[in-house]
Amino acid sequence: VGYNTMFLSNVTVFMPPLLTLIGIPGLESVQCWIGIPFCAMYIMAVIGNSLLLFIIKSEPSLHEPMYILIGMLGVTDTVLASSIVPKMLGIFWFHISFDACLLQMWLIHSFQATESGILLAMALDRYVAICNPLRHATVFSRQLLTHLGVGAILRAAILVLPSLLLIKCRLKLYRTTVISHAYCEHMAIVKLAAEDIRVNKIYGLFVAFAILGFDIIFITMSYVRIFVTVFQLPQKEARVKAFNTCTAHICVFLPFYLLAFFSFFTHRFGSHIPPYVHILLSNLYLLVPPFLNPIVYGVKTKELRRHIWNIFFSSQNS
């Protein structure tokens, strides 16, 4: 029934009470198996980020800007993954109400934007720490970290909210209630409408470039300045140490932005890309950063690695 409604172009639904997520188009027969690695990634992301948060909170020596920002990133990643995976794994048995779908859309995009803001704050923290180390403690105070965290959340929530209202208030008629996606994403919902969606698409473009575009420009500028400063350091050991502090951050933000812009442009210009490729990469875009965050920072950051080692191996020795 769900597939038939997709092709009834002369039938519209007024404000559908329920929507059906079909998961990954073209791979419906193997979705139960695809869900296993996604579930494993989610469990590891929640456990890993929770462990990082516990270590950062319990160790006074880690109450520094870099580790506080890592903790903020862990919270954002955990909430973002929790907004997606449980529902995604249950799409074979449940429908989702229209309002619940809009709420999930707002949560997903809000926490995506919040994560982008935290990655920008982390890049600025590394820039000040490496390019102007004597002023780092003064510039990155607890008050500034609080303002950066609150600002990232408010910027995301305020800019994403109108996209929800534009769907709820403008779009009344829908061609189908079947969403060819594994979660409620802005353009996936907008494309269901049987009305003019240009305003919705334009605002989506504005939000994407106002948040992701702005952040990636300043992150890139920060790292260009960082690398220029690093290669000017006279001691090789100092260059290696400064470079290592940045590689963990780069390993996290590169997949986030590359997959984000792939999903963003595919929705608008990628009609030739198979839907299952787009949806699989969209899922990875939201799950890979939460999964990588504890692994990358736990391995690359010496202080965190030492505390993790002490937790597991000191308890075994005792």
Side-chain angles (χ1 to χ4, degrees):
V1 177
Y3 284 107
N4 292 336
T5 59
M6 296 179 67
F7 303 102
L8 297 177
S9 59
N10 59 338
V11 176
T12 58
V13 181
F14 181 79
M15 294 296 290
L18 294 176
L19 296 173
T20 301
L21 291 159
I22 67 170
I24 304 170
L27 298 179
E28 290 85 357
S29 61
V30 294
Q31 284 183 144
C32 57
W33 301 107
I34 295 174
I36 294 174
F38 280 123
C39 182
M41 289 173 65
Y42 172 67
I43 293 171
M44 292 182 67
V46 171
I47 294 174
N49 283 296
S50 299
L51 179 61
L52 282 184
L53 289 170
F54 172 76
I55 293 172
I56 293 170
K57 185 177 185 301
S58 60
E59 292 294 334
S61 62
L62 298 180
H63 294 176
E64 298 179 7
M66 182 175 72
Y67 304 110
I68 293 173
L69 288 169
I70 290 174
M72 293 167 62
L73 187 65
V75 172
T76 304
D77 281 336
T78 302
V79 176
L80 179 57
S82 299
S83 300
I84 301 161
V85 177
K87 185 62 191 176
M88 184 182 74
L89 297 176
I91 61 175
F92 311 115
W93 301 284
F94 302 105
H95 297 292
I96 183 169
S97 72
F98 185 76
D99 290 338
C101 191
L102 291 182
L103 176 62
Q104 187 190 47
M105 182 200 82
W106 180 75
L107 288 172
I108 290 170
H109 292 303
S110 293
F111 281 100
Q112 285 174 343
T114 300
E115 178 158 358
S116 181
I118 294 173
L119 289 173
L120 173 59
M122 294 175 75
L124 296 176
D125 170 67
R126 292 300 84 204
Y127 166 73
V128 177
I130 293 172
C131 299
N132 202 344
L134 296 179
R135 295 190 59 201
H136 180 257
T138 304
V139 173
F140 269 83
S141 61
R142 290 290 182 88
Q143 185 179 16
L144 177 63
L145 287 174
T146 301
H147 290 164
L148 288 173
V150 173
I153 294 171
L154 290 179
R155 180 189 68 161
I158 292 171
L159 284 177
V160 173
L161 182 60
S163 63
L164 184 152
L165 297 176
L166 284 172
I167 293 175
K168 183 71 175 177
C169 300
R170 288 191 71 252
L171 306 179
K172 303 296 183 182
L173 299 176
Y174 292 81
R175 297 185 184 91
T176 176
T177 60
V178 178
I179 303 177
S180 298
H181 213 302
Y183 56 85
C184 294
E185 194 263 354
H186 177 250
M187 283 303 299
I189 300 173
V190 167
K191 286 180 177 180
L192 302 181
E195 303 175 60
D196 185 3
I197 60 173
R198 283 178 294 181
V199 173
N200 301 76
K201 294 174 71 173
I202 290 171
Y203 188 76
L205 282 169
F206 165 74
V207 172
F209 283 103
I211 296 178
L212 298 184
F214 175 89
D215 291 352
I216 193 65
I217 288 171
F218 279 89
I219 289 174
T220 302
M221 290 172 59
S222 297
Y223 274 96
V224 169
R225 293 293 302 274
I226 286 171
F227 288 135
V228 169
T229 302
V230 166
F231 287 118
Q232 290 175 346
L233 294 174
Q235 298 90 1
K236 180 180 178 181
E237 293 78 8
R239 291 199 301 269
V240 172
K241 182 178 179 181
F243 184 76
N244 281 338
T245 62
C246 299
T247 52
H249 186 211
I250 293 172
C251 289
V252 171
F253 88 74
L254 269 182
F256 178 82
Y257 286 107
L258 288 176
L259 291 172
F261 280 108
F262 171 83
S263 177
F264 175 76
F265 286 115
T266 300
H267 259 308
R268 290 158 175 83
F269 314 110
S271 56
H272 60 287
I273 296 176
Y276 67 88
V277 174
H278 176 205
I279 304 307
L280 275 174
L281 290 179
S282 294
N283 291 332
L284 290 174
Y285 148 52
L286 296 176
L287 287 176
V288 166
F291 174 72
L292 284 179
N293 184 39
I295 297 174
V296 170
Y297 288 116
V299 170
K300 293 296 294 181
T301 308
K302 184 174 69 175
E303 289 80 3
L304 287 174
R305 186 171 64 243
R306 178 167 56 83
H307 286 296
I308 292 172
W309 180 275
N310 289 337
I311 285 176
F312 286 104
F313 289 95
S314 63
S315 61
Q316 287 181 5
N317 294 334
S318 60

